[in-house]
Amino acid sequence: MKEHILVTLAKRQFLNVERETVHLVDEPEINAFLNDIEQYPHAYVLGCLMDCQMKSEKAFAIPWLVKESIGSFSINCLADYSEEFYQNLFISKNLHRFSNDKAKVFHVAVQRIANEYNGDASKIWADNTSSAAVVYRFLQFKGCGIKIATMATNILARQFKIPLSDYYSIDISPDVHVDRVLKRAGLVSMEVSREAIIYKARELNPEFPGIIDFSCWEIGRQFCKPQNPLCNQCPIQSECKLF
Ligand code: SF4
């Protein structure tokens, strides 16, 4: 089967682009903190765990806001605080839409990183491990579903350029851009479910289904806008059914 242009563009981006700053939040200082996965790998993990049912950028900023409140982000320091402390902090500062639940998730995750990973969250993705192992380790965290686990692993592989022994278990994370582009391009039908989109991505590139996340996202944001899509400038125009 001929490779779809979406896959070709994504592979080009994956193979040719060096690690660059991942845009997780708008504020440069907070973004730099979250990108420092060498010094603060737990900040990235905790940010991913907060990314649920609220604006992603606000969720990813939570580790920074906790750091500002307690004056440190060492895992030993974070692990010294009780669940009640985090609940008071999250609720008093209105950190999350579900502050009560997410304070628990935050506290349990800190304890897990301190105890299971000896305080070093980068062990989740170290040693050239498999994509399935990384997804599985994320799933072991309280409050982490398959969507967050695959998104977190995908960002590590595609953007942080963490070497893994394979990429088979990194599925696409369908969002509004992915959904719109795949439907308009005619790769999936208009009424298709989220699960079906995931399987279509597996069919398009079984060895790394989630690789097209970024190309769909970029095309959706820049060209395939909800209204008045810029088809004449779109890089997948030649294979788009709607064009
Ligand atoms: S050619 Fe037009 S409709 Fe098709 S994906 Fe590109 S912008 Fe969207």
Coordinates of all heavy atoms in Angstrom, one line a residue, residues 40-47 49 73-76 78-79 105-125 137-138 141:
Y40 N 14.2 17.9 36.1 CA 12.9 17.7 36.7 C 12.0 16.8 35.8 O 10.9 17.2 35.4 CB 12.2 19.1 36.8 CG 12.9 20.1 37.7 CD1 13.5 21.2 37.1 CD2 13.1 19.8 39.0 CE1 14.1 22.2 37.9 CE2 13.7 20.8 39.9 CZ 14.2 21.9 39.3 OH 14.9 22.8 40.1
P41 N 12.4 15.5 35.6 CA 11.5 14.6 34.8 C 10.2 14.5 35.5 O 9.2 14.3 34.8 CB 12.3 13.3 34.8 CG 13.2 13.4 36.0 CD 13.6 14.8 36.2
H42 N 10.1 14.6 36.8 CA 8.8 14.4 37.5 C 7.8 15.6 37.2 O 6.6 15.5 37.2 CB 9.0 14.3 39.0 CG 9.9 15.2 39.6 ND1 11.2 15.2 39.4 CD2 9.7 16.2 40.5 CE1 11.8 16.2 40.1 NE2 10.9 16.8 40.8
A43 N 8.4 16.8 36.8 CA 7.5 17.9 36.4 C 6.7 17.6 35.2 O 5.5 17.8 35.1 CB 8.3 19.2 36.2
Y44 N 7.4 16.9 34.2 CA 6.7 16.5 33.0 C 5.6 15.5 33.3 O 4.5 15.6 32.8 CB 7.7 16.0 32.0 CG 7.0 15.4 30.7 CD1 6.4 16.3 29.8 CD2 7.0 14.1 30.5 CE1 5.7 15.7 28.7 CE2 6.4 13.5 29.4 CZ 5.7 14.4 28.5 OH 5.1 13.8 27.4
V45 N 6.0 14.5 34.1 CA 5.1 13.4 34.4 C 3.9 14.0 35.2 O 2.7 13.7 34.8 CB 5.8 12.3 35.3 CG1 4.8 11.3 35.8 CG2 6.9 11.6 34.5
L46 N 4.1 14.8 36.1 CA 3.0 15.4 36.9 C 2.1 16.3 36.1 O 0.9 16.3 36.2 CB 3.6 16.1 38.1 CG 4.2 15.2 39.2 CD1 5.1 16.0 40.2 CD2 3.1 14.5 40.0
G47 N 2.8 17.0 35.2 CA 2.0 17.9 34.2 C 1.1 17.0 33.4 O -0.1 17.4 33.2
L49 N -0.2 14.2 34.1 CA -1.2 13.6 35.0 C -2.3 14.6 35.3 O -3.5 14.3 35.6 CB -0.7 13.0 36.3 CG 0.3 11.8 36.1 CD1 0.9 11.4 37.4 CD2 -0.4 10.6 35.5
F73 N 11.3 22.0 44.1 CA 10.6 20.9 43.4 C 11.4 19.6 43.4 O 11.3 18.8 42.5 CB 10.3 21.3 41.9 CG 9.0 20.7 41.4 CD1 7.8 21.1 41.9 CD2 9.1 19.7 40.4 CE1 6.6 20.5 41.4 CE2 8.0 19.1 39.9 CZ 6.7 19.5 40.4
S74 N 12.3 19.5 44.4 CA 13.0 18.2 44.6 C 12.0 17.2 45.0 O 11.0 17.5 45.7 CB 14.1 18.3 45.6 OG 13.6 18.2 46.9
I75 N 12.1 16.0 44.5 CA 11.2 14.9 44.8 C 11.1 14.6 46.3 O 10.1 14.3 46.8 CB 11.4 13.7 43.9 CG1 10.2 12.8 43.8 CG2 12.6 12.9 44.4 CD1 9.1 13.3 42.9
N76 N 12.3 14.7 46.9 CA 12.3 14.5 48.4 C 11.4 15.5 49.1 O 10.7 15.1 50.0 CB 13.7 14.5 48.9 CG 14.5 13.3 48.4 OD1 13.9 12.3 48.1 ND2 15.8 13.4 48.4
L78 N 8.9 17.3 47.8 CA 7.5 17.1 47.4 C 6.9 15.9 48.2 O 5.8 15.9 48.6 CB 7.4 16.8 45.9 CG 7.7 18.0 45.0 CD1 7.7 17.5 43.5 CD2 6.7 19.1 45.1
A79 N 7.8 14.9 48.4 CA 7.3 13.6 49.0 C 7.0 13.8 50.5 O 6.4 13.0 51.1 CB 8.2 12.5 48.8
V105 N -4.2 12.7 43.1 CA -3.4 12.2 42.0 C -2.0 12.7 42.1 O -1.0 11.9 41.9 CB -4.0 12.6 40.6 CG1 -3.1 12.3 39.4 CG2 -5.3 11.8 40.4
F106 N -1.8 13.9 42.3 CA -0.5 14.6 42.5 C 0.3 13.9 43.6 O 1.4 13.5 43.4 CB -0.7 16.1 42.7 CG 0.6 16.9 42.5 CD1 0.8 17.6 41.3 CD2 1.6 17.0 43.5 CE1 1.9 18.3 41.1 CE2 2.7 17.7 43.3 CZ 2.9 18.4 42.1
H107 N -0.4 13.8 44.8 CA 0.3 13.3 45.9 C 0.7 11.8 45.7 O 1.9 11.4 46.0 CB -0.6 13.4 47.1 CG -0.1 12.7 48.4 ND1 -0.6 11.5 48.9 CD2 0.9 13.1 49.2 CE1 0.1 11.2 49.9 NE2 1.0 12.1 50.2
V108 N -0.2 11.0 45.2 CA 0.1 9.6 45.0 C 1.2 9.4 44.0 O 2.1 8.6 44.1 CB -1.2 8.8 44.6 CG1 -0.9 7.4 44.2 CG2 -2.2 8.8 45.7
A109 N 1.2 10.3 42.9 CA 2.2 10.2 41.9 C 3.6 10.5 42.5 O 4.6 9.9 42.2 CB 1.9 11.1 40.7
V110 N 3.7 11.6 43.3 CA 4.9 11.9 43.9 C 5.5 10.8 44.8 O 6.7 10.4 44.7 CB 4.8 13.2 44.8 CG1 5.9 13.4 45.8 CG2 4.6 14.4 43.9
Q111 N 4.6 10.1 45.5 CA 5.0 9.0 46.4 C 5.5 7.8 45.5 O 6.5 7.2 45.8 CB 3.8 8.5 47.2 CG 3.4 9.5 48.3 CD 4.5 9.9 49.3 OE1 5.2 9.0 49.7 NE2 4.6 11.1 49.6
R112 N 4.8 7.6 44.4 CA 5.2 6.5 43.5 C 6.6 6.8 42.9 O 7.4 5.9 42.8 CB 4.1 6.4 42.4 CG 4.4 5.3 41.4 CD 3.2 4.9 40.5 NE 3.6 3.8 39.7 CZ 3.5 2.5 40.1 NH1 3.0 2.3 41.3 NH2 3.9 1.5 39.3
I113 N 6.8 8.0 42.4 CA 8.1 8.3 41.8 C 9.2 8.2 42.9 O 10.3 7.7 42.6 CB 8.1 9.8 41.2 CG1 7.1 9.8 40.0 CG2 9.5 10.2 40.8 CD1 6.7 11.2 39.6
A114 N 8.9 8.7 44.1 CA 9.9 8.6 45.2 C 10.2 7.1 45.5 O 11.4 6.7 45.7 CB 9.4 9.3 46.4
N115 N 9.2 6.3 45.6 CA 9.4 4.9 46.1 C 9.7 3.9 45.0 O 10.6 3.1 45.1 CB 8.1 4.4 46.8 CG 7.8 5.3 48.0 OD1 8.8 5.8 48.7 ND2 6.6 5.6 48.3
E116 N 8.9 4.0 43.8 CA 9.1 3.0 42.8 C 10.3 3.3 41.9 O 10.9 2.4 41.3 CB 7.9 2.9 41.9 CG 6.6 2.4 42.6 CD 6.7 0.9 43.0 OE1 7.2 0.1 42.2 OE2 6.3 0.6 44.1
Y117 N 10.6 4.6 41.7 CA 11.6 5.0 40.8 C 12.8 5.7 41.5 O 13.6 6.4 40.9 CB 11.0 6.0 39.7 CG 10.0 5.2 38.8 CD1 8.6 5.4 39.0 CD2 10.4 4.3 37.9 CE1 7.7 4.7 38.2 CE2 9.5 3.6 37.1 CZ 8.2 3.8 37.3 OH 7.3 3.1 36.5
N118 N 12.8 5.4 42.8 CA 13.9 6.0 43.6 C 14.1 7.5 43.4 O 15.2 8.0 43.3 CB 15.2 5.2 43.2 CG 16.3 5.3 44.3 OD1 15.9 5.6 45.5 ND2 17.5 5.1 44.0
G119 N 13.0 8.2 43.2 CA 13.0 9.6 43.1 C 13.3 10.1 41.7 O 13.4 11.3 41.4
D120 N 13.6 9.2 40.7 CA 14.0 9.6 39.4 C 12.9 9.2 38.3 O 13.0 8.0 37.9 CB 15.4 9.0 39.1 CG 15.8 9.4 37.7 OD1 15.2 10.2 37.0 OD2 16.9 9.0 37.3
A121 N 12.1 10.1 38.0 CA 11.0 9.8 37.0 C 11.5 9.4 35.7 O 10.8 8.8 34.9 CB 10.0 10.9 37.0
S122 N 12.7 9.8 35.3 CA 13.2 9.5 34.0 C 13.4 8.0 33.8 O 13.6 7.5 32.7 CB 14.5 10.2 33.7 OG 15.6 9.7 34.4
K123 N 13.4 7.2 34.9 CA 13.5 5.8 34.8 C 12.3 5.2 34.1 O 12.3 4.0 33.6 CB 13.7 5.1 36.2 CG 15.1 5.4 36.8 CD 15.2 4.8 38.1 CE 16.7 5.1 38.7 NZ 16.8 4.7 40.1
I124 N 11.2 5.9 34.0 CA 10.0 5.5 33.3 C 10.4 5.2 31.8 O 9.8 4.3 31.2 CB 8.9 6.5 33.4 CG1 8.4 6.6 34.9 CG2 7.7 6.2 32.5 CD1 7.5 7.8 35.2
W125 N 11.2 6.0 31.3 CA 11.6 5.9 29.9 C 13.0 5.6 29.6 O 13.5 5.7 28.4 CB 11.1 7.2 29.1 CG 11.6 8.5 29.7 CD1 12.9 9.0 29.5 CD2 10.9 9.4 30.5 NE1 13.0 10.2 30.1 CE2 11.8 10.5 30.8 CE3 9.7 9.4 31.1 CZ2 11.4 11.6 31.6 CZ3 9.3 10.5 31.9 CH2 10.2 11.6 32.1
R137 N 3.9 1.9 32.2 CA 4.4 2.6 33.4 C 3.5 3.9 33.7 O 3.2 4.2 34.9 CB 5.9 2.9 33.3 CG 6.7 1.7 33.4 CD 8.2 1.9 33.0 NE 8.9 0.7 32.9 CZ 10.0 0.5 32.3 NH1 10.6 1.6 31.7 NH2 10.6 -0.7 32.3
F138 N 3.2 4.6 32.7 CA 2.3 5.7 32.9 C 0.9 5.3 33.4 O 0.3 5.9 34.3 CB 2.1 6.5 31.6 CG 3.2 7.6 31.4 CD1 4.2 7.5 30.6 CD2 3.1 8.8 32.2 CE1 5.2 8.4 30.4 CE2 4.1 9.8 32.0 CZ 5.1 9.6 31.2
F141 N 0.1 4.9 37.1 CA -0.2 6.1 38.0 C -1.7 6.3 38.2 O -2.5 6.2 37.2 CB 0.4 7.4 37.3 CG 1.9 7.5 37.5 CD1 2.8 7.0 36.6 CD2 2.4 8.1 38.6 CE1 4.1 7.0 36.7 CE2 3.8 8.2 38.8 CZ 4.7 7.7 37.9

